[in-house]
Amino acid sequence: MSSEQEARGARLLVVDDDPDMLRLLSMRLTGAGYQVTAVTSAESALTQLEIEHPQLVLSDVRLPGRDGLQLFDEIRQHHPTLPVILLTAHGTIPDAVEATARGVFGYLTKPYDARELLDKIAQALALAAPAARPAKGAGDENWRSDIVSRSNRMAELLAEARMVAKSDASVLLRGDSGTGKEMLARAIHKASARADKPFVAVNCGAIPEALLESELFGHMKGAFTDAVANHKGLFQQADGGTLLLDEIGDMPPALQVKLLRVLQERAVRPLGGSQSIQVDVRIISATHRDLDVAMAEGQFREDLYYRLNVVTLNLPSLAARREDIPLLANHFLQRLAGKYNKRLSGFAPEALKALATAPWPGNVRQLYNVVEQVCALSTSPLVPLALVQRALRVPTVEVQTYAQAKQRFERDYLVGLLKLTDGNVADAARLADRNRTEFYRLLQKHELTPGSFKSDGSQGPTDGVADERHS
Ligand SMILES: Nc1ncnc2c1ncn2[C@@H]1O[C@H](COP(=O)(O)OP(=O)(O)OP(=O)(O)O)[C@@H](O)[C@H]1O
Ligand SMILES: [Mg+2]
């Protein structure tokens, strides 16, 4: 089937406030075999989008109310892969440049050339189809296909990553927890000449020191009590490929020395072994710690640092690239909708706004968790604000001063005693091992009236000592 035949029958949404223009466009496109829905405003286009799920939107730029570019921005948030073509009567170059920079598939000036219009639509549909199902090994951009982003900072970072991927230089990835360090490490491996060799990741902070050495460098049978067979270390397992040393900042000092030697000699000697084995491994290390501080404190070796850190790539926090939030949120939503077997089409605009403005201390990983929670709970196709707010609520620990905490404890304690003794001060004071005068002073301080704890409700003095207050 040719792509032109394939495109036939595709659903197009056409937006123009000029009814004559709209009729003409619809006729042409229907004549070319498309299914056309025609609307006269951006607002009705947005409604129609949710109902019809068109495969392409063709819109006039000048529209009453929201214009074509604003419509495009809305579409981008909820349907990031839906192609949009804009029509403009007064096509100026800056307009077009701006539109394409923002991701509009293309634009045409009115009066448009019918052939050109049909060609553009066919191209857009042909490109959009494989985007939904990326062909394995196809296209130059496949190396980073898992990384969802539209921010300039990430684009610059990815361009750098791609350049260093081509070399064998050691790369140090820095970034807060959940910013995508491991993901980027995998992408670098994929973009490198080592792509079809193994990618091996090890979390240096998660393996006990005693095991880490044999994990990394391997051991020979009998090297220690439990070494019942030869064991190939991760360096050897990654031979020809890439080894990610994750949380390198947590590597114990004794092993830092050994690692340095392996990197210098490009060879490992398994525990209990007498011979070194050559290994060809590209090292990527990652850390959320500040290694400069660790070095200053003598916890990280400087010579190792310079070996590992030929190139540093800094992953920006999610809060520093908020334009990625809607895109990531929708991406995760689509993925998770499948997992939870739900028909979810997106976030309500206020919900998306709440996501876009949240602080995100846990970065992309936290965003994923929030989206997972709302997916599990949502009962409508558009995730409402309330659910997002609920998922975003960080359990807050109200920090009190020592004096406040003591005050509160004292009060709760006294209330507890009075309840227990039915408002009997003598009994309560005895339980507290305080004399009654002292006990009364405490009650006064907290403005507690023992009478109100009496179960019969009478407010009178509970025992003789009540008079002590006045004496
Ligand atoms: N740009 C992105 N596009 C899509 N998914 C992403 C992106 N960045 C991160 N993720 C996802 O977020 C999660 C956290 O990413 P990753 O494990 O790479 O972060 P990390 O920096 O190694 O975190 P940690 O410090 O907690 O180990 C993963 O599930 C990853 O798939
Ligand atoms: Mg990680």
Side-chain angles (χ1 to χ4, degrees), residues 171-175 181 184-185 188 244 284-287 313 315:
V171 180
L172 176 65
L173 303 178
R174 294 186 193 225
K181 297 184 293 293
L184 183 59
I188 292 173
L244 169 63
I284 301 180
S285 27
T287 176
L313 298 175
L315 272 130

Side-chain angles (χ1 to χ4, degrees), residues 144-149 154 175-185 203 244 246-247 286-288 315 321 324 328 331-332 335 362-366 368:
R144 52 145 300 182
S145 58
D146 292 338
I147 302 180
V148 174
S149 174
M154 282 296 284
D176 290 340
S177 178
T179 46
K181 297 184 293 293
E182 176 156 359
M183 189 165 217
L184 183 59
N203 185 335
L244 169 63
D246 207 350
E247 300 308 348
T287 176
H288 70 274
L315 272 130
R321 46 175 159 127
D324 283 348
L328 281 163
H331 169 74
F332 292 146
R335 253 176 49 190
N363 296 293
V364 186
R365 187 188 298 288
Q366 187 192 4
Y368 183 87

Side-chain angles (χ1 to χ4, degrees), residues 346-364:
F347 294 87
E350 323 81 68
L352 208 55
K353 197 167 159 209
L355 289 172
T357 52
W360 300 118
N363 296 293
V364 186

